[in-house]
Every structure is written in structure tokens, then in C-alpha cells.
Amino acid sequence: MGIGTGIVLFVIGAILEFALNVQVSWIDLHLVGYILMIAGAVVFLLSLILLLVRRGRRTEPVHDEDLL
């Protein structure tokens, strides 16, 4: 899962919550939309944090001059 997955989940949740005007008797689409938006935001933020942590752990290459 990555940043794109979080965005896709958020967009699908927003469509279910705000754009659809359909009533289904066996599921509450508004609740599913909110759940997907929250899950998308969490996935997006976790992916962003992990990306920033990985970028911070770069090491510099060792040159032959430094070893002498």
C-alpha cells in the first residue's frame, strides 16, 4: 500500500458519501464512505511517514581517501 492507495480509498469514500444518492437496505453507504475516507487518510499518512523515515537514513559512501 502506498500514497496512491490512500488517495484512491479517500476518493472512493468521498464519492460514496457525497456524490451517491442511493438507498440500499442492507448497508449504510454513508457510513462506508466515512470509513473509507478515514482509512484512506490513515494509509496516506503512514505511507508519507514511512517514506520520510526511509529518506532520512541515507549513508554517505566511503571513499578510499578516508580510509588512509
Side-chain angles (χ1 to χ4, degrees):
M1 287 199 215
I3 293 174
T5 305
I7 293 172
V8 167
L9 284 174
F10 192 86
V11 168
I12 292 172
I15 290 171
L16 286 176
E17 173 56 32
F18 302 115
L20 281 181
N21 221 359
V22 178
Q23 293 290 345
V24 181
S25 62
W26 54 277
I27 192 167
D28 185 8
L29 291 179
H30 295 290
L31 180 62
V32 172
Y34 278 126
I35 291 171
L36 286 176
M37 285 193 294
I38 292 169
V42 168
V43 168
F44 179 79
L45 290 175
L46 285 177
S47 298
L48 196 61
I49 290 169
L50 290 175
L51 180 69
L52 292 174
V53 167
R54 276 189 244 145
R55 282 192 181 181
R57 292 188 180 178
R58 284 194 169 167
T59 58
E60 294 184 24
V62 177
H63 298 290
D64 291 336
E65 302 154 354
D66 296 338
L67 296 176
L68 296 176

